[in-house]
Amino acid sequence: MSAWADRGPLSGVVGRAVEHEQVSGLLAGSPLITLTGAAGVGKSVLARAVLDEHTARHGGTVIRVGCWDGLTEGGLMAGGLTGALVRAAGLDSVLRDTERAAARRSPQLPPYDAARSETPAPAGDAETPAGGGTRSTDTAVAALAAHCVRSRATLLLDDCDPLLDECARLVRRLLRAEPALRIVATARRPLGPAAECVVDIGPLPVTLGEGIAGPAVELLAARTGPAAPELLVAVCEALEGSPLAIELAAQQLDRMPLSQLAARAGADGPLFWSGPAPTARHTSLYAAHAAGYALCSPVDRRVWARLSVLPGDFDPWLAGCVCASSDVPAAEVDAALERLRLASVLERVREAGSAPADTGAALPPRYRLPRGARDFGRTRLREAGEESSALRRFRQACAALAAEAQIAWQGTDQQIAVRLVEDEQHNLDAALTRPPQDPDDALIALEIAVSLWFRWAACGFRHEGRAHLDRLLLLSRDDTALRARALWLAGWLAAQEHAPGAAEALLERAWAAAVMHADSDGLARIAHAHGVLALYREDAGAAVACLEEAARHTSKDPWFGPGPAHSGALLAIALAAVDGDRAEAAARRAWECRHSDGDFWLHSTVLYARALAERAQGRPEAALRTCRKALAAKRLIGDPLFIAGARNMLAALRREVREGTPAPETREEGRWWQRGGSGVRSAPFFSRLRAGS
């Protein structure tokens, strides 16, 4: 039988078949099994379910002590951890008689008293030496261990976190006394003994594949009854598969329909749902995290609270930018991250040192603060009056990330820039979309949008970039050089999206700002954008004139915008249909003035221009080979507009080569910029590389 003095019968455990089998298998040969995981993930429920099944099959009993429950009720500390186990095992009278007999033989020994049976180890001592402590404690430990082995009892140290060190010391004593003893523990971090087998319990998966509901949905459906699958999935995704959060959410269905529950769960902001629970810690997500927060050091608490402004995963550098201050030294942030990870507050989503095959550069670890912990931390941050400063530091750090990505794009390898932006996509999106606190904060957001010009223009996210720029330009009205760049970038993106009216209005304002700031680079970029507009109008003469002007310019700032080389590549495209020799010469000059051999954006455009020229000169086989190379180069950075046009030209060239006669060029086959509508990107092209990292 099992001794659950403080608990009722277990409800069904959903979605833990793999973990259940793993723990059950370890019970046969591991003296100490510790189930670890975040608050509310179901460690205790799973441990009880496994032990109930084990005792039903193999006999024996379970002796449980709830460390956290004892703290709140006052019962555990009155008798100490050993005393609590002794009472749970029913050994009080036996040990009292033994000690009294020993006292009669040796009067100097005090009689057994459970209230004094737990002698704490000296400070800094990880393990009490054999023979240390009082004689009564040693006797109690030995008697308890012998009783458990004799009666085939399993010890369950539940919720060890508030007494983690005491639990670790007691486990070592018990295993020294009886190595055949079986102990199961639940805690947010491992206990640490060498014999420990740790089983990490994570959130329940929401889906198991496309169209297949996961255990989280199964758990919610068991509480709600028949319901729309898409609403169940929406709720579970918003709650990130946390069993406690799902149970609390299901209790709200008495007061709201499932559709409203899904909307509330998916909205930004903390979830203050509460309900009845066996322990006070599980009445709400806030209470569950507050219990763990109370056990953290002051530094770890501050780091936890400040990390709550980060919406996605992050590396130690970004965490340091947000968390470091006069009361949290920068050197301590990395250690705090690891302590919070060990306490199951943070998740580590990428190990340190993994190196992608294409760069070979070692990557730092990345962490994530789950929603429940993030909501709790944000509340604490707001209560401390630090939310505004943390949000400002976050946006400043994102501006530095965007600037780094811009420099990497114009540097040796554009893939590094694309990966950096995709790694930080959630953070950059939040920095761009969260409402600025004041004009200075709005200017920082605009700086991020301008620094990411290559993502909008070269990687195919034109519509997204325009939306950010249009909104931020309304919030940043000062006539600054940054605003002038933003006006040009918005006009250039509008030109690429084939919106001539909006593009010309923006470029006119950008021209006035460039003249006021004596920005010759800006004037050249405006000429480049007008050349793009002329290409859309199929006005070859105007396109050649504008692009020649832009290509002749010597750029003072090589880190921003397309630059003379890209103007030359577009010039070659404009010339391809009218003068093949001039087009090839322009393409050659564009490639010769490149910044680096890793400029795949320029390389693909130059190759495309050469393919157009070779086709116009009646060399379809050479054009086919060159167009294939252009498409391969463009795929490294993405741009659905260009890729669609290149594929169409490839299809036409294949027909020409196969049939041996030139095929009439259609607009769709020869004009890549006329394909793909608005060029909206819905998914990153670097998903493969990011997953590989």
Side-chain angles (χ1 to χ4, degrees):
M1 60 176 290
S2 299
W4 308 116
D6 59 339
R7 302 294 179 97
L10 270 180
S11 58
V13 180
V14 177
R16 296 299 188 192
V18 174
E19 296 91 337
H20 193 292
E21 183 177 356
Q22 182 181 4
V23 177
S24 298
L26 290 172
L27 278 174
S30 300
L32 172 61
I33 305 167
T34 303
L35 278 62
T36 62
V41 82
K43 303 179 291 293
S44 298
V45 172
L46 177 61
R48 291 180 59 198
V50 171
L51 292 176
D52 271 347
E53 181 184 278
H54 183 81
T55 54
R57 288 185 176 182
H58 306 288
T61 61
V62 176
I63 301 173
R64 175 190 177 273
V65 166
C67 301
W68 224 316
D69 301 342
L71 280 179
T72 58
E73 298 164 7
L76 177 58
M77 295 307 292
L81 188 58
T82 303
L85 283 170
V86 166
R87 288 194 300 275
L91 297 178
D92 271 8
S93 59
V94 175
L95 285 177
R96 191 172 289 111
D97 292 343
T98 302
E99 287 297 328
R100 284 173 180 168
R104 285 194 296 270
R105 293 192 299 271
S106 303
Q108 71 275 16
L109 291 179
Y112 169 77
D113 184 352
R116 294 186 287 110
S117 65
E118 186 74 7
T119 303
D125 189 12
E127 179 179 349
T128 303
T134 65
R135 288 281 299 275
S136 59
T137 300
D138 293 339
T139 303
V141 168
L144 177 62
H147 169 77
C148 291
V149 171
R150 185 171 58 253
S151 60
R152 299 167 61 195
T154 301
L155 292 179
L156 174 58
L157 300 177
D158 210 0
D159 299 325
C160 295
D161 302 283
L163 301 174
L164 197 71
D165 292 339
E166 291 87 337
C167 288
R169 286 194 291 269
L170 177 59
V171 164
R172 291 186 177 99
R173 288 182 178 184
L174 288 168
L175 293 179
R176 279 200 304 267
E178 287 288 352
L181 194 60
R182 183 186 297 115
I183 303 173
V184 176
T186 67
R188 302 187 189 189
R189 67 178 74 205
L191 300 185
E196 182 179 35
C197 290
V198 178
V199 179
D200 188 54
I201 309 300
L204 293 172
V206 177
T207 59
L208 300 178
E210 188 174 354
I212 304 176
V217 177
E218 182 184 351
L219 175 61
L220 182 59
R223 306 297 185 263
T224 63
E230 62 273 11
L231 292 178
L232 296 174
V233 171
V235 172
C236 293
E237 285 181 342
L239 301 179
E240 299 182 347
S242 167
L244 176 60
I246 292 172
E247 294 279 2
L248 293 171
Q251 294 173 11
Q252 309 307 307
L253 294 174
D254 293 338
R255 65 192 74 175
M256 68 181 73
L258 184 59
S259 58
Q260 185 179 352
L261 178 66
R264 289 197 177 184
D268 290 335
L271 302 174
F272 289 110
W273 297 334
S274 61
T279 67
R281 288 176 294 109
H282 291 157
T283 55
S284 68
L285 282 175
Y286 186 92
H289 287 290
Y293 183 83
L295 300 177
C296 294
S297 69
V299 168
D300 291 356
R301 293 178 186 179
R302 297 186 188 104
V303 170
W304 181 348
R306 292 168 188 174
L307 289 175
S308 66
V309 302
L310 302 178
D313 54 274
F314 53 88
D315 61 12
W317 178 86
L318 184 56
C321 291
V322 171
C323 298
S325 64
S326 59
D327 54 359
V328 179
E332 294 189 21
V333 174
D334 285 10
L337 294 177
E338 276 302 296
R339 288 193 296 269
L340 290 173
R341 183 190 66 82
L342 289 173
S344 300
V345 175
L346 287 178
E347 297 174 357
R348 188 157 61 194
V349 298
R350 183 178 73 193
E351 298 291 336
S354 55
D358 57 329
T359 64
L363 298 173
R366 291 190 74 84
Y367 302 90
R368 177 181 171 274
L369 193 62
R371 177 175 181 178
R374 187 167 65 247
D375 289 346
F376 175 84
R378 193 66 171 270
T379 303
R380 301 296 298 181
L381 188 69
R382 193 173 294 120
E383 291 172 352
E386 296 184 3
E387 185 179 29
S388 176
S389 58
L391 286 170
R392 192 178 300 275
R393 290 196 299 270
F394 166 68
R395 189 170 265 131
Q396 290 169 343
C398 287
L401 283 171
E404 180 185 352
Q406 175 185 227
I407 293 172
W409 175 266
Q410 300 285 48
T412 58
D413 194 338
Q414 291 173 346
Q415 289 177 298
I416 295 175
V418 175
R419 177 177 292 105
L420 174 59
V421 173
E422 290 204 349
D423 273 352
E424 305 297 344
Q425 181 177 349
H426 293 296
N427 297 311
L428 292 170
D429 286 348
L432 286 167
T433 56
R434 285 175 177 171
Q437 303 179 66
D438 50 44
D440 289 340
D441 206 27
L443 205 62
I444 296 173
L446 184 63
E447 181 182 352
I448 296 171
V450 171
S451 294
L452 294 177
W453 65 268
F454 64 91
R455 174 177 172 83
W456 319 133
C459 299
F461 292 86
R462 299 175 182 86
H463 189 73
E464 179 185 346
R466 281 188 69 190
H468 286 309
L469 288 164
D470 290 346
R471 176 174 43 82
L472 294 171
L473 280 168
L474 292 175
L475 300 174
S476 307
R477 296 187 174 276
D478 293 341
D479 289 327
T480 61
L482 177 63
R483 179 177 171 80
R485 288 189 173 192
L487 287 168
W488 165 80
L489 179 55
W492 185 34
L493 294 177
Q496 289 184 317
E497 285 198 297
H498 203 3
E504 288 170 356
L506 286 163
L507 292 174
E508 183 177 353
R509 295 163 61 192
W511 181 86
V515 170
M516 184 182 71
H517 291 283
D519 183 5
S520 60
D521 284 2
L523 294 173
R525 296 187 196 105
I526 292 168
H528 179 99
H530 279 297
V532 173
L533 282 172
L535 279 175
Y536 271 95
R537 293 194 304 266
E538 299 190 21
D539 185 347
V544 169
C546 291
L547 293 169
E548 280 183 337
E549 178 184 348
R552 284 195 301 267
H553 175 72
T554 302
S555 180
K556 297 177 182 177
D557 181 4
W559 302 111
F560 179 75
H566 284 276
S567 298
L570 283 188
L571 174 62
I573 290 175
L575 288 168
V578 295
D579 192 333
D581 292 337
R582 286 181 64 195
E584 288 191 349
R588 183 171 56 255
R589 287 194 303 271
W591 184 242
E592 288 173 350
C593 65
R594 65 189 181 277
H595 288 299
S596 74
D597 292 339
D599 192 339
F600 300 110
W601 181 37
L602 175 63
H603 189 212
S604 60
T605 309
V606 167
L607 288 172
Y608 187 85
R610 286 177 175 169
L612 285 175
E614 289 165 346
R615 185 185 188 189
Q617 293 171 342
R619 294 180 287 166
E621 294 89 349
L624 181 62
R625 290 192 298 270
T626 306
C627 191
R628 283 173 177 160
K629 294 177 183 178
L631 184 58
K634 197 65 172 183
R635 280 174 173 160
L636 291 173
I637 57 171
D639 183 351
L641 189 66
F642 183 103
I643 290 172
R647 283 175 173 168
N648 284 328
M649 190 168 79
L650 275 175
L653 288 169
R654 290 191 186 102
R655 287 197 300 271
E656 291 184 25
V657 172
R658 183 173 61 249
E659 297 170 4
T661 57
E665 180 182 307
T666 66
R667 175 175 295 181
E668 288 76 13
E669 291 170 350
R671 303 290 185 264
W672 58 264
W673 54 86
Q674 305 242 356
R675 298 293 296 165
S678 62
V680 178
R681 282 287 300 276
S682 59
F685 272 78
F686 256 66
S687 298
R688 172 182 57 83
L689 291 174
R690 187 179 185 190
S693 67

